[in-house]
Amino acid sequence: PTRWRIVVMGDETLSRTALIVAVVLSSFMTKEGACYPTLATITKACHFKNERSAKRGTKELRERGYLDVTKRFDTSNLYRATFPVATVS
């Protein structure tokens, strides 16, 4: 999770919301880069006012290739740290 967090934090194109969510998720991650906090837990740990911000942050990380999200139960997802595929120009 440390390497993942460093790579994510170095991406200057990510929103502040996504960066905050990434730091919080990394604090829950196992050595393998997986975690499963509830959206309410992420929201509280990020000090967001509502879950919409946490959803936006996780969505942005997923869309940018930094996060794999698998639905687990009604209240929890499995989050896995991933690295975007580098494109060759």
Side-chain angles (χ1 to χ4, degrees):
T2 301
R3 181 173 171 252
W4 178 79
R5 185 175 54 239
I6 290 168
V7 171
V8 171
M9 296 303 289
D11 186 338
E12 296 177 359
T13 65
L14 287 172
S15 70
R16 182 173 293 176
T17 298
L19 293 173
I20 293 168
V21 169
V23 169
V24 165
L25 287 176
S26 72
S27 73
F28 290 108
M29 287 180 177
T30 64
K31 291 179 185 176
E32 293 77 27
C35 64
Y36 41 91
T38 64
L39 202 54
T41 299
I42 296 168
T43 301
K44 184 175 180 178
C46 291
H47 298 277
F48 292 149
K49 292 181 182 178
N50 55 57
E51 291 183 359
R52 284 181 302 183
S53 295
K55 286 180 183 178
R56 276 196 315 271
T58 56
K59 179 182 178 188
E60 183 178 349
L61 291 168
R62 184 175 40 81
E63 289 175 348
R64 300 291 292 281
Y66 289 112
L67 200 60
D68 180 51
V69 182
T70 304
K71 187 119 174 102
R72 287 188 47 197
F73 305 107
D74 289 339
T75 60
S76 176
N77 293 323
L78 171 63
Y79 300 95
R80 281 190 222 110
T82 60
F83 294 93
V85 177
T87 56
V88 178
S89 13

